[in-house]
Amino acid sequence: NLTGDKFEEHKVTDISQYDVNDTSKLVWFTVPKATGKGVWLPPYVTDNLDVRVISYNVPVYHEKRFIGVIGIEIDYSTMASEVKNISLYDNGYAFLINSKGGIAYHPRMDVANSVIKPATPAGLLSESEYVNYEFDGVEKQAAWLPLNNGMRICVSVPVREINAEWRRWSSRVVTVFGVFLLAFFFVIWAFSSRITKPLRQLTLAAEQVDKGKYDFKLDYNGNDEVGILTRTFKRVTGHLEDQISDLNDLAYADSLTSLHNKGAFEISLRELEAQVQASRNTLEFAICIFDCNRLKLINDRHGHEKGDMYLKETASVICEIFDHSPVFRIGGDEFAVILTGVDYENRHTLVKTLRDQVRNNISSGGVIIASGLADYFNGHDHDFKSVFDRADQAMYANKKELKEHYH
């Protein structure tokens, strides 16, 4: 079927014209007869068709007696087309060589009707399946595998393309490894920070104590050496703080309510003023003034002992609501709070909470506390007295409003 349309009969080869024991002639017949088995033959030109083919031929026997050969011849171009379709990387290709190194097919050489000899790198005829060589000035690497007909199929790729792929994969591996390494260091850092955090807290607390400040928090209570040291430090500094507090209480504590007194309030304002100057007027704070209503009425009707209890209850209510801020008794029935940090951020909510409770106390007989709040305005308040005065005025306005409700 040379045209691809149909099979046509051709004149057969006259076997009697050949020595059938000579395997160098009429190989499609003589080789299977001599070997007694099927065999693929490398490309050759047919005697009767003058076409280059490859063939597979099998000896035929009847009652163990050789009677002939049956086989199939395939046009060489069919095999060449299959090999031509093999491609690797960008410029890699496949080619065929025979057992002697002649090139039977090459996509870049015209070997349709002949075998080019010798043109094959020597390494492709060795036992090694890989070989490096140079072709047209390009360094290449090739590999081969044997075919059943004794030929070898070879693939060849420029070394630079193999190295580029290797470098690309190496770059990906390095990138992935770098990401994992960064994640590993982050985990180690987080873990070590968690381990060393109690020790850093303890160090900062020791620095505070060295400066005479005892307002610190140590919450680590582990059973390791740092936990034991933390508990011991808290116990020792607690005793020391108690001793210093005893001295401070004599000078700056109110004897009736145990709150800070007016002297402590003035010291706190001076310290706050220094902080404002150090922060270049960026510090935010507020002052809240309180007045204990109906104290004179209670003293007149029930005596000063009942009035003292009323003052203590007033102090307790203020401390309970403003639990993150220092509370001061600055006069007989006047109290003050300096709001910073969390209490400053929630100042309006805290004042509202106090006033809601006072409204309930009017009917239930609890303490009645007037309150006034004033913020420190950067650039407008030249001293803290103006803040105090505004808070005091707001307190008197609230005091007047309350009297209208319980009278």
Side-chain angles (χ1 to χ4, degrees):
N1 184 13
L2 298 179
T3 63
D5 295 328
K6 62 180 180 178
F7 284 94
E8 297 179 359
E9 183 178 351
H10 288 265
K11 180 181 178 181
V12 298
T13 302
D14 186 0
I15 301 298
S16 63
Q17 301 298 317
Y18 296 89
D19 179 2
V20 294
N21 294 316
D22 181 5
T23 56
S24 64
K25 306 288 185 178
L26 206 66
V27 291
W28 63 269
F29 181 86
T30 58
V31 172
K33 177 180 181 298
T35 59
K37 59 183 180 181
V39 61
W40 277 100
L41 296 179
Y44 61 91
V45 178
T46 61
D47 294 328
N48 56 351
L49 296 178
D50 194 29
V51 176
R52 196 172 188 216
V53 297
I54 59 173
S55 66
Y56 182 71
N57 306 278
V58 180
V60 179
Y61 296 87
H62 177 66
E63 295 181 353
K64 297 183 179 181
R65 177 173 173 266
F66 174 80
I67 61 172
V69 171
I70 186 171
I72 183 172
E73 292 177 338
I74 303 174
D75 193 310
Y76 162 84
S77 62
T78 302
M79 178 178 66
S81 176
E82 293 298 321
V83 177
K84 183 179 180 180
N85 289 329
I86 299 174
S87 62
L88 301 93
Y89 295 88
D90 294 328
N91 295 288
Y93 51 79
F95 58 94
L96 293 171
I97 62 175
N98 61 23
S99 59
K100 296 180 180 180
I103 296 180
Y105 167 77
H106 196 289
R108 300 186 181 182
M109 297 180 184
D110 183 12
V111 294
N113 297 311
S114 62
V115 174
I116 297 178
K117 300 180 181 180
T120 304
L124 291 177
L125 297 176
S126 66
E127 295 300 321
S128 175
E129 295 182 353
Y130 301 95
V131 62
N132 282 23
Y133 68 99
E134 187 174 306
F135 179 71
D136 286 345
V138 178
E139 185 181 1
K140 297 193 174 188
Q141 187 173 87
W144 63 268
L145 285 174
L147 300 179
N148 288 340
N149 62 357
M151 301 176 69
R152 293 184 179 186
I153 183 169
C154 309
V155 292
S156 176
V157 179
V159 172
R160 67 175 181 273
E161 294 185 17
I162 298 175
N163 291 341
E165 183 72 9
W166 177 84
R167 291 191 187 97
R168 185 159 51 249
W169 277 104
S170 297
S171 176
R172 292 174 182 174
V173 170
V174 170
T175 302
V176 172
F177 178 75
V179 172
F180 275 109
L181 189 63
L182 185 63
F184 173 76
F185 277 123
F186 178 77
V187 171
I188 292 298
W189 174 80
F191 183 70
S192 61
S193 297
R194 181 180 178 185
I195 293 177
T196 59
K197 180 180 178 181
L199 193 57
R200 293 199 306 272
Q201 288 181 340
L202 192 59
T203 302
L204 292 174
E207 293 175 354
Q208 292 287 93
V209 171
D210 184 57
K211 296 177 182 178
K213 299 178 180 180
Y214 297 87
D215 186 17
F216 56 82
K217 182 179 180 181
L218 293 174
D219 53 8
Y220 185 69
N221 196 34
N223 294 321
D224 54 12
E225 291 83 353
V226 178
I228 296 173
L229 183 60
T230 299
R231 289 190 291 274
T232 303
F233 183 83
K234 288 168 65 177
R235 186 167 59 251
V236 172
T237 53
H239 293 324
L240 182 59
E241 183 181 15
D242 289 342
Q243 295 174 14
I244 295 176
S245 295
D246 290 342
L247 296 176
N248 287 337
D249 287 346
L250 295 175
Y252 300 113
D254 178 64
S255 59
L256 176 64
T257 61
S258 297
L259 299 177
H260 303 293
N261 61 17
K262 185 176 182 179
F265 179 66
E266 293 173 351
I267 291 175
S268 296
L269 288 179
R270 288 198 296 270
E271 291 178 349
L272 192 61
E273 186 175 8
Q275 293 179 31
V276 170
Q277 293 175 355
S279 66
R280 297 182 180 180
N281 290 331
T282 60
L283 184 67
E284 296 179 321
F285 73 92
I287 295 176
C288 197
I289 304 298
F290 309 93
D291 183 84
C292 182
N293 286 22
R294 299 197 303 182
L295 178 62
K296 185 177 185 306
L297 179 63
I298 293 174
N299 284 334
D300 292 342
R301 291 184 180 181
H302 306 285
H304 287 279
E305 184 175 349
K306 188 72 173 179
D308 290 345
M309 293 176 60
Y310 192 76
L311 284 171
K312 289 180 180 180
E313 187 176 354
T314 299
S316 177
V317 170
I318 296 173
C319 289
E320 182 179 351
I321 294 175
F322 298 87
D323 59 343
H324 292 97
S325 301
V327 182
F328 306 87
R329 184 185 179 197
I330 58 176
D333 58 357
E334 282 192 330
F335 300 83
V337 173
I338 299 176
L339 303 173
T340 60
V342 176
D343 275 5
Y344 174 78
E345 295 174 0
N346 300 318
R347 58 195 182 282
H348 297 296
T349 301
L350 295 174
V351 171
K352 183 179 184 303
T353 300
L354 175 67
R355 291 183 175 180
D356 289 344
Q357 184 170 335
V358 168
R359 290 190 185 94
N360 294 332
N361 290 345
I362 291 176
S363 59
S364 62
V367 295
I368 300 176
I369 308 168
S371 58
L373 177 70
D375 290 352
Y376 170 71
F377 295 112
N378 296 337
H380 297 283
D381 292 311
H382 300 290
D383 54 46
F384 289 178
K385 185 177 183 305
S386 61
V387 184
F388 181 89
D389 290 344
R390 283 192 282 108
D392 201 41
Q393 292 170 9
M395 181 272 293
Y396 276 109
N398 182 236
K399 185 180 183 72
K400 182 179 179 180
E401 178 186 350
L402 290 174
K403 284 183 178 180
E404 295 175 357
H405 284 82
Y406 63 78
H407 276 304

